[in-house]
Amino acid sequence: MAPKTGFAVIGGTETRVDGLEKVTGRTRFADDLSFPNMLYGRFLRSPHAHARIRKIDVSRAAAMPGVHCVLTGRDFPIPFGPLPISEDEYVLAFDKVTYVGEPVVAIAAIDEATADAACRAVVVDYEELDAYMTLEEALEQRGEPIHTEHRFGNIHKAVSLEFGDVAQGFAEAEYFREDVFFYQGNTHMPIEEHSCTGVPEGIDRVTLYSSTQNPHYGHRLIAKALQLPGSRVRVVATPAGGGFGGKCDTFSHEFAACRMALRTGRPVKFTLNREEVFYTHRGRHPVLMWSKIGFRRNGRITGMHFRSFLDGGAYGSLGVATTYYTGALQPCSYRIPYYKFEGTRLTTNKPVCGPKRGHGAPQPRAMIEVQMDKAAVDLGIDPAQLRLVNAIEPYSKTINHFRVTSCGLKECIEKVVEVSGFNDKWGRLPHGKGIGFAISAYLSGAGTTQYPSNGPHSEVVVKVGRFGEVQCLTGSTDIGQGSMTVHASIVAEVLGLHASDVMVINGDTATTPIDLGSYSSRVTFMSGNAALEAARRMRDQIAAVVAATFGIPADCTEFREHKVFNAVNPGQSMAWEDACALAESKLGALSSTGNYTPPDLDGPYKGGAVGPSPAYSYTALAVQVDVDPETGMIDVEKVWCAHDIGFPINQTLVIGQVEGGIYMGLSEALFEEMDYRKSRLEAPSMLDYKTITVNEMPEIETHLICTHDPEGPFGAKEVGQGPLLPAIPALLNAVYDAVGVRIDEVPCTPDKVLFAMERKADGRGGRIGPTAFPEHATTARAVRAPRPAEWENGNEGRMN
């Protein structure tokens, strides 16, 4: 047996309150950093949505007093992108601009005012081109496409996958639902704007301090853009004031700060203002969706055909993955025997869309859960019961070859039905009041990397000093989700210490081992497993030395209460500090490593690398609303949520993540949209981009379902993104239950509710939403994949 551990850390409710300095030694946010002789960078940005650059004259700007560096696209000739498949973006616009706000010239000066004045002195000669601002315009393509290198005009990516013969599934159906739904794009709105500082370290070495979620990926891209060896670039992730996916990409200001620092020999700092954050974007894709589902009369799904059109903005970003994600996760929650998915991502002349919290999953989840609600009404089946009938089973395989391990979906559904009183309320509340239900599934980290690599996804080093001090070094970043506390808790649990005894040093590509970053809800599962392995290896080193002193086998030691005990004779023990000093005297410096690489779970077909995860979380959620029939205003009264967490490393942090996800989901459902102003095709500002506030937030009742995943650290799974997904459709379903109208688009605003009620009263049908779906033939080569049972009967390899 292994040495015993335990200090009541794992699963506890304590939250770290000692501040970042205690945990990391760093308290400075990116915008707070200051260095001697620092310069300040600003961008001249495009005033046009789509235009060719004829000429740039920077002579007046370069001659201004206080200006030290001026860069144009010619200084960054290498295109970049987070995915090798779509490296289509330039740090500074190269020969054309593709959206209002795109960086064209970068200037570093003694202060921001001087840099801004220099930007105004730059003269750019543009030739305006037709702009494509909607999906329909991008498909129509009146003039020059946004990227001439694309094979099919403004189509960036097209996907067509079919698992089994969906026509056969529909032939078995006794009832069909066919619907169209639109989910408007929105942005992350972190409290902290993007900020970074490039610091020269000699003539060919640079350090970037940045508010980033992914220092490792940024490290790779910056080295490539600067044409430097990776060993000459260091990226330090400063504490982040919110990310939500908006700080996953590597941005123009980070590249420019590094190049300017090397050119000038002085630190260069960029801090974006709020308007620039809107232009930097990488937010939620607007998605138009069509879905057809076949059912038996008892509610069982017989087949599903799902189509999506994504508005990707001007460049690729992580859009290829997003396209797949709009179709990948539907079978993770429901047993679908036949499934077809077609997705198309289009480029438009708007800021780039990317991986906002939930990355491609909230849009299809909203549609499918509303569609399930409609089916329940038509079939005369309770909406929660319809989900139970079709719920995915634990330790099963989805139709698209995803492996499901632990799964508490049915338990989540049953818990929410119980605590919310759903069965007694649905369809029975007074007019104006309603309750809605929805479920979701989400991954505990993406199973593949953003670039080809056989290395671990997460690495952790644990160091123990002579006096018992413990350090946990990880390349992961804490963006407010509590990952540093999770690391400290895991290490402390194994070593019999308290979480406050462990200092976590994170997010520095020069001093911490590689971690792929904070995205896809991967940190607890993947970096947590690496920390667990490193801590166990450290424990084993110390156990061997102490056991030799006790004259017992190493596996008869027990680590708890800051001591190492003889498990056979508990009266014999050694203080933790003494055990560390003894081990160092025998072994030298005490250090251990841990790594985590997920199993190879890719599906045997092209695109099968997007969606597989070592574990999936599950959520069920009910929303109760009060809708004012006179104004259309929606008051969310209460939310009940049950989330399959596997096991909570820290219960308080888990509940905080659940509530944060629901907050963002309700905000998207009720308010948020990137509504571009038609006059100059500009992004919105905080004057017209509305988000939910404390005044609109309801009471949230959270229940954690513990399924103890066999591969998660101490059984844990994700919580950062899953609970957001069902909040949107649950609210839409609640509005229908309250006033009998369907709002088949997001956001669900009072004017839409009122208009739908007027239509219903006039006999025109109580629905607001898109009525047509583009009759556009996909440009993707159709991939017909066998169902898992068929594949496992003698097939090997991967389909193309």
Side-chain angles (χ1 to χ4, degrees):
M1 64 178 183
K4 295 181 179 179
T5 62
F7 201 77
V9 175
I10 300 301
T13 59
E14 179 199 1
T15 302
R16 295 298 290 270
V17 295
D18 47 359
L20 291 173
E21 185 173 6
K22 173 69 175 177
V23 183
T24 66
R26 295 199 304 272
T27 59
R28 307 298 293 277
F29 286 86
D31 191 34
D32 294 330
L33 292 175
S34 180
F35 294 88
N37 300 314
M38 190 156 70
L39 301 174
Y40 296 84
R42 298 291 292 157
F43 288 119
L44 173 69
R45 296 179 179 270
S46 168
H48 303 295
H50 195 198
R52 191 171 288 108
I53 298 175
R54 290 171 170 164
K55 182 181 179 182
I56 301 177
D57 183 358
V58 299
S59 57
R60 287 177 54 211
M64 291 178 63
V67 172
H68 286 258
C69 187
V70 179
L71 301 179
T72 67
R74 303 298 167 186
D75 294 290
F76 295 97
I78 301 175
F80 73 94
L83 299 177
I85 195 172
S86 55
E87 295 177 326
D88 58 357
E89 190 168 1
Y90 289 89
V91 175
L92 299 170
F94 200 70
D95 55 5
K96 69 187 302 190
V97 292
T98 56
Y99 64 93
V100 172
E102 182 170 8
V104 178
V105 177
I107 295 178
I110 56 172
D111 53 43
E112 288 188 340
T114 302
D116 281 329
C119 286
R120 292 191 293 271
V122 174
V123 178
V124 183
D125 182 15
Y126 294 102
E127 176 190 351
E128 286 197 65
L129 303 170
D130 288 333
Y132 307 101
M133 297 301 293
T134 66
L135 290 168
E136 293 75 17
E137 290 174 355
L139 283 170
E140 182 184 350
Q141 192 189 311
R142 299 181 306 275
E144 179 179 315
I146 298 171
H147 299 289
T148 55
E149 65 272 20
H150 285 181
R151 292 172 57 201
F152 301 102
N154 290 320
I155 294 176
H156 171 233
K157 180 64 179 178
V159 177
S160 179
L161 298 170
E162 186 170 7
F163 303 92
D165 185 358
V166 76
Q168 180 177 339
F170 287 157
E172 299 173 4
E174 299 168 303
Y175 162 79
F176 293 95
R177 275 243 48 113
E178 185 175 332
D179 294 281
V180 184
F181 191 95
F182 179 67
Y183 198 114
Q184 180 60 278
N186 51 64
T187 198
H188 312 83
M189 287 297 289
I191 294 175
E192 176 201 32
E193 296 97 335
H194 298 63
S195 185
C196 72
T197 302
V199 180
E201 313 281 358
I203 61 172
D204 65 346
R205 188 188 297 268
V206 65
T207 296
L208 176 71
Y209 296 88
S210 183
S211 177
T212 177
Q213 294 178 230
N214 297 340
H216 170 67
Y217 286 132
H219 183 189
R220 292 185 66 256
L221 292 175
I222 289 167
K224 179 179 179 181
L226 300 183
Q227 297 177 282
L228 288 174
S231 60
R232 298 297 193 208
V233 176
R234 176 189 181 193
V235 178
V236 179
T238 57
F244 315 115
K247 296 172 183 175
C248 281
D249 282 24
T250 307
F251 297 103
S252 293
H253 57 278
E254 294 169 308
F255 293 106
C258 291
R259 174 74 80 190
M260 289 172 151
L262 290 172
R263 287 272 181 93
T264 64
R266 295 170 63 170
V268 178
K269 179 178 183 177
F270 278 81
T271 298
L272 306 189
N273 59 37
R274 184 59 66 177
E275 180 183 6
E276 291 177 302
V277 173
F278 275 104
Y279 291 133
T280 303
H281 194 39
R282 268 61 176 187
R284 186 90 68 216
H285 286 68
V287 183
L288 178 65
M289 294 161 283
W290 171 92
S291 176
K292 181 179 180 180
I293 308 178
F295 295 85
R296 297 190 186 277
R297 284 292 171 187
N298 62 5
R300 280 302 312 273
I301 294 173
T302 64
M304 179 186 293
H305 185 185
F306 188 90
R307 299 176 67 193
S308 61
F309 273 97
L310 294 80
D311 180 343
Y315 294 107
S317 181
L318 289 162
V320 170
T322 315
T323 306
Y324 280 105
Y325 274 131
T326 60
L329 297 183
Q330 285 85 316
C332 281
S333 52
Y334 296 121
R335 288 174 287 157
I336 304 173
Y338 300 93
Y339 181 55
K340 185 174 183 179
F341 164 60
E342 295 171 289
T344 301
R345 185 180 191 265
L346 295 151
T347 50
T348 57
N349 292 117
K350 293 185 284 191
V352 189
C353 295
K356 187 182 177 183
R357 194 175 192 174
H359 193 189
Q363 301 97 318
R365 180 57 55 185
M367 175 170 194
I368 293 300
E369 291 303 306
V370 169
Q371 200 170 24
M372 290 291 284
D373 202 67
K374 294 177 180 179
V377 173
D378 290 351
L379 292 169
I381 299 175
D382 173 87
Q385 182 62 33
L386 184 63
R387 270 82 172 186
L388 281 171
V389 166
N390 291 286
I392 197 78
E393 297 287 348
Y395 301 99
S396 62
K397 185 163 283 190
T398 69
I399 187 66
N400 53 343
H401 296 263
F402 294 175
R403 184 200 70 172
V404 176
T405 54
S406 61
C407 171
L409 178 56
K410 289 184 177 180
E411 293 90 333
C412 288
I413 294 172
E414 291 165 351
K415 175 57 73 172
V416 170
V417 168
E418 173 196 345
V419 298
S420 67
F422 182 81
N423 290 337
D424 295 328
K425 294 178 180 178
W426 183 69
R428 296 179 174 87
L429 294 174
H431 182 70
K433 289 186 178 290
I435 189 167
F437 192 88
I439 66 164
S440 71
Y442 201 70
L443 28 149
S444 296
T448 54
T449 60
Q450 293 180 12
Y451 66 94
S453 172
N454 293 322
H457 289 210
S458 291
E459 301 170 350
V460 168
V461 173
V462 171
K463 295 181 178 180
V464 172
R466 181 175 300 179
F467 306 110
E469 63 273 25
V470 182
Q471 293 182 346
C472 174
L473 285 74
T474 170
S476 67
T477 57
D478 196 317
I479 54 174
Q481 81 277 40
S483 65
M484 289 187 293
T485 298
V486 168
H487 282 80
S489 298
I490 289 173
V491 173
E493 179 75 11
V494 173
L495 299 180
L497 305 173
H498 196 278
S500 61
D501 297 319
V502 181
M503 174 178 282
V504 180
I505 299 172
N506 74 309
D508 184 333
T509 62
T511 62
T512 63
I514 283 176
D515 186 271
L516 298 185
S518 292
Y519 66 95
S520 290
S521 283
R522 61 175 301 282
V523 176
T524 292
F525 199 99
M526 297 190 177
S527 192
N529 264 320
L532 182 60
E533 182 177 78
R536 284 173 172 169
R537 288 175 174 174
M538 175 59 68
R539 178 198 62 192
D540 291 346
Q541 292 181 51
I542 297 172
V545 173
V546 174
T549 302
F550 289 169
I552 59 174
D555 61 4
C556 288
T557 57
E558 184 176 347
F559 287 64
R560 57 183 172 83
E561 300 173 3
H562 290 89
K563 294 179 181 180
V564 182
F565 287 86
N566 180 340
V568 179
N569 177 18
Q572 185 180 29
S573 66
M574 184 179 296
W576 166 254
E577 293 80 0
D578 296 337
C580 294
L582 178 62
E584 187 201 25
S585 70
K586 302 291 186 182
L587 305 175
L590 298 176
S591 179
S592 62
T593 62
N595 308 295
Y596 179 78
T597 302
D600 183 4
L601 299 170
D602 293 3
Y605 55 90
K606 184 177 180 181
V610 181
S613 177
Y616 298 92
S617 73
Y618 293 90
T619 310
L621 188 143
V623 172
Q624 185 168 313
V625 301
D626 184 351
V627 180
D628 188 336
E630 300 296 324
T631 64
M633 294 291 291
I634 302 168
D635 177 24
V636 183
E637 295 183 326
K638 188 168 181 178
V639 175
W640 297 265
C641 179
H643 180 73
D644 170 15
I645 184 62
F647 186 77
I649 299 292
N650 183 298
Q651 186 170 306
T652 300
L653 290 178
V654 168
I655 293 174
Q657 285 290 291
V658 170
E659 293 179 352
I662 293 170
Y663 163 89
M664 291 194 75
L666 293 177
S667 190
E668 292 188 24
L670 292 169
F671 298 108
E672 298 188 41
E673 56 183 323
M674 288 287 282
D675 186 15
Y676 291 85
R677 291 171 283 199
K678 296 295 183 181
S679 59
R680 295 187 61 199
L681 309 181
E682 295 173 331
S685 71
M686 289 187 71
L687 291 174
D688 46 22
Y689 188 94
K690 303 303 181 185
T691 61
I692 200 167
T693 70
V694 67
N695 294 322
E696 294 87 28
M697 273 301 292
E699 176 188 354
I700 299 174
E701 183 178 321
T702 301
H703 297 268
L704 302 180
I705 305 299
C706 295
T707 54
H708 296 275
D709 191 82
E711 298 180 23
F714 296 103
K717 298 195 290 188
E718 83 85 33
V719 67
Q721 302 186 66
L724 178 151
L725 276 59
I728 299 105
L731 180 133
L732 298 176
N733 293 337
V735 169
Y736 172 78
D737 190 46
V739 291
V741 299
R742 291 288 183 187
I743 310 301
D744 284 347
E745 62 182 44
V746 170
C748 177
T749 53
D751 58 312
K752 295 176 184 177
V753 174
L754 276 180
F755 188 40
M757 293 176 68
E758 290 171 3
R759 288 177 57 88
K760 182 181 179 182
D762 294 342
R764 293 178 291 162
R767 177 186 179 274
I768 294 295
T771 57
F773 193 81
E775 291 299 325
H776 177 81
T778 180
T779 58
R781 182 168 66 89
V783 173
R784 173 74 68 84
R787 298 193 295 174
E790 299 165 349
W791 183 257
E792 291 162 2
N793 291 332
N795 288 291
E796 295 180 359
R798 181 181 300 278
M799 296 185 64
N800 294 318

